[in-house]
Amino acid sequence: METSILPSPTLPTFFSIFLLIYLSAYFLLFRNWGPNHRPEASSCLISLSHGTAAAAMAAHAILRSHKATTFASPNTPTQNTVLEFSVAYFSLDLLHYVLFFPNDVLFILHHLATLYVFTTCRYVVRHGAHAILVLLLLAEITSGCQNAWTLAGFRRAGSPAAAKLYDFLSPKFYALYSVFRGILGPMFMYKMGVFYVSGAADPVIPRWAWVSWMVVISVAICLSILWVLNLWIDWCKNKMQKKMR
């Protein structure tokens, strides 16, 4: 039987680590940033800390899965650890948005929906983590590039170096995001849907669970596609405007 390499309970430990990173960023690393960018940058840092590690952890858990693993297989200890890692991050980042940006309803709803999927998979259903972690990998593999792009965007107005980095990263990040969120994500979601609709998961995953998961995942992917599409449109407009000058 597989055992987790981390001591239990991991959720409070992970939450404490993310909280320490956030507070260090807020009070030390970004203390001279503006009142809006300071908390945003702190959130970016924990997002970077989570995303890169979560992608690696998810890949590790997927590779360790038994060959007979399906989308309805019981969660392994390693998979549960990755889920708890992400629950800790999204819980803290949700708290960040509630405290600093309570009007950012879309992000708050996104975090609540994501937490719903992770917590029900981890603590209620206790099956199906393999599929959830594949989606987590596809979502977070672009985290490093995205957060570097975001941080550069915060500083580009007052820093030529940040502006140059932002312009350099923009098309590369958009392309990477488009591939993983706009192509591979929907393809894998379709594969999940076919499996669940077939009834193969019904003995162990209640229908309300997988249906709600699919709804959340579908909405998240659609919003991601719309978001990156708008970024591409703005980028193309800016390119055309520069050529016309």
Side-chain angles (χ1 to χ4, degrees), residues 77-94:
T78 300
Q79 291 170 343
N80 283 335
T81 297
V82 183
L83 290 173
E84 291 180 9
F85 183 73
S86 291
V87 168
Y89 159 71
F90 279 103
S91 297
L92 180 59
D93 207 44
L94 175 62

Side-chain angles (χ1 to χ4, degrees), residues 18-27 39 42-43 46 92 96 100:
F18 284 123
L19 180 59
L20 179 61
I21 294 171
Y22 184 92
L23 294 176
S24 298
Y26 189 86
F27 290 107
S42 302
S43 174
I46 60 169
L92 180 59
H96 154 82
F100 290 103

Side-chain angles (χ1 to χ4, degrees), residues 3 7 17 44-45 98 100 103 160 211 215:
T3 58
I17 292 171
C44 271
L45 191 62
V98 170
F100 290 103
N103 294 325
V211 168
V215 169

Side-chain angles (χ1 to χ4, degrees), residues 188-210:
F188 187 78
M189 182 187 69
Y190 173 78
K191 187 176 180 180
M192 284 178 63
V194 170
F195 178 84
Y196 289 137
V197 170
S198 72
D202 288 351
V204 291
I205 300 180
R207 184 156 297 189
W208 64 262
W210 69 257

